[in-house]
Amino acid sequence: MSRDNNRKYDVLVIGGGAAGLSAAQMLGRSRRSVLVVDSGEPRNAPAQGVHGFLSRDGVSPAELLEIGRAEAGRYGVRTIQGAAVTAAGNIAEGFTVTLADGRVLKGNRLLITTGLVDDLPAIPALRERWGKDVLHCPFCHGWEVQDQAIGILGKGPWSVHQALLFRQWSANITLFLNSLVQPSDEELEQLAARGVRVVAGAVESLRVEDDRLRGIALAGGPEVAVDAVVVGPQVRARLDAFAGLGLTPEPHPMGIGDFLATDADGATAVPGVWAAGNVTDMRAQVLASAAAGSWAAVVINNSLMADEMAADLTAYRESQSVGPGVSGG
């Protein structure tokens, strides 16, 4: 514990997922001292595999993180388990992050890669099947359920788009309005043209047998057989620990949750604090999150370099000055 309390790192990375580890690796290669704090709660933990990640397609989320920690570690990056609870400081004096176990970490720069939390509807068996046969992203999992009977669980206007999108992976798509979705006449025509079945009524539960999803039960109505369910969760940015810095989530324009706003380089409204990955871009898949972390690391390194240049330039100018009565030789 004292090792972390007594040292001031160049960069504290809060979040040990793809974005955080990618940033840490890049910073380590830049000869920066880096500490990664990993809460051990990756958003994609329930998924059987990571897809769309060139050279790592199908790798389990846990294995991908294990590989990432090992790679970053080769460049001197230190990773610890812990949950950040508060943060304070500024770019002039540096930042402190306090963990749940009382450790206080110090760094000159702060990178937030804490990701999102998926809030799912309170429907029996839905959470238990999340990441298995309850999905949300066709680009992540559509291939694995191609040509199966797929049910789209209605939550709002976005559900119509999901139904039309998943139609690309299967001709057997059913949109369950769930008493929450009211497609326009134009949308109903689009659904009909694509052969998407529309079912009215509220969804009561999922039926699971032998560890497999079998169907969707409607309240007071029949059960419809499905092999997979698609639902768009509400998402929450993990930002409670950073409220003391003035960083709070903003509602996403799509109306499906909140996020931390940054500029194109990942800089937040607080000088010296950056963010990368799903916490700031809910659309980013694993590969995109890793890329965002890598670029944020480049920008953070340049920020540190600017401080070092200013300090060295001041020292150099002082060394070149000639005091009163001293010969310039």
Side-chain angles (χ1 to χ4, degrees):
M1 185 177 293
S2 60
R3 174 181 177 182
D4 295 322
N5 282 357
N6 295 332
R7 181 175 182 182
K8 189 174 188 180
Y9 290 84
D10 289 328
V11 186
L12 296 177
V13 179
I14 312 302
L21 290 174
S22 181
Q25 183 192 68
M26 183 66 77
L27 288 162
R29 286 179 53 82
S30 302
R31 306 189 71 181
R32 298 297 181 184
S33 60
V34 184
L35 179 65
V36 178
V37 179
D38 184 1
S39 68
E41 299 175 322
R43 183 188 181 199
N44 63 352
Q48 295 179 341
V50 172
H51 297 289
F53 198 130
L54 190 63
S55 82
R56 299 292 182 183
D57 189 68
V59 67
S60 74
E63 184 181 355
L64 180 66
L65 297 183
E66 183 180 353
I67 293 169
R69 286 190 290 267
E71 289 184 354
R74 291 203 294 267
Y75 299 105
V77 172
R78 176 164 158 73
T79 300
I80 62 171
Q81 286 285 318
V85 292
T86 60
N90 55 63
I91 193 171
E93 299 176 358
F95 299 91
T96 60
V97 174
T98 303
L99 305 186
D101 62 9
R103 280 178 290 182
V104 179
L105 312 176
K106 305 177 183 68
N108 290 310
R109 299 291 187 273
L110 182 61
L111 174 61
I112 301 171
T113 56
T114 46
L116 299 171
V117 175
D118 294 302
D119 288 332
L120 298 172
I123 294 176
L126 192 71
R127 168 61 68 177
E128 292 77 8
R129 307 306 300 176
W130 181 242
K132 301 179 178 71
D133 36 33
V134 175
L135 317 167
H136 77 289
C137 172
F139 303 103
C140 301
H141 305 291
W143 179 269
E144 283 65 42
V145 296
Q146 61 181 300
D147 298 326
Q148 296 183 23
I150 303 173
I152 311 299
L153 180 61
K155 284 185 73 271
W158 187 250
S159 299
V160 173
H161 174 76
Q162 282 187 309
L164 294 171
L165 186 58
F166 266 88
R167 174 61 181 82
Q168 183 175 333
W169 280 265
S170 175
N172 190 349
I173 304 292
T174 301
L175 172 59
F176 293 85
L177 299 182
N178 196 27
S179 301
L180 295 172
V181 181
Q182 296 179 330
S184 65
D185 291 342
E186 180 182 2
E187 289 173 331
L188 287 171
E189 184 180 33
Q190 293 173 342
L191 292 165
R194 291 290 283 162
V196 176
R197 180 185 179 191
V198 178
V199 174
V203 171
E204 185 174 74
S205 64
L206 306 186
R207 185 172 69 86
V208 179
E209 289 183 2
D210 300 325
D211 197 32
R212 284 191 59 187
L213 177 63
R214 302 294 184 178
I216 289 181
L218 299 171
E223 178 182 297
V224 180
V226 295
D227 301 308
V229 168
V230 173
V231 59
Q234 287 291 114
V235 295
R236 291 182 289 111
R238 300 177 196 240
L239 290 173
D240 290 349
F242 309 103
L245 291 172
L247 294 174
T248 56
E250 297 184 11
H252 196 277
M254 292 169 56
I256 57 176
D258 55 40
F259 73 111
L260 176 59
T262 68
D263 68 11
D265 292 328
T268 72
V270 178
V273 181
W274 281 258
N278 281 158
V279 71
T280 184
D281 184 1
M282 63 179 62
R283 303 168 302 172
Q285 298 178 21
V286 179
L287 186 60
S289 292
S294 181
W295 178 247
V298 171
V299 179
I300 292 170
N301 178 73
N302 290 348
S303 172
L304 289 165
M305 185 180 69
D307 281 0
E308 293 161 351
M309 172 60 75
D312 287 347
L313 191 57
T314 297
Y316 175 77
R317 287 170 175 168
E318 290 176 351
S319 71
Q320 296 302 304
S321 65
V322 179
V326 177
S327 172

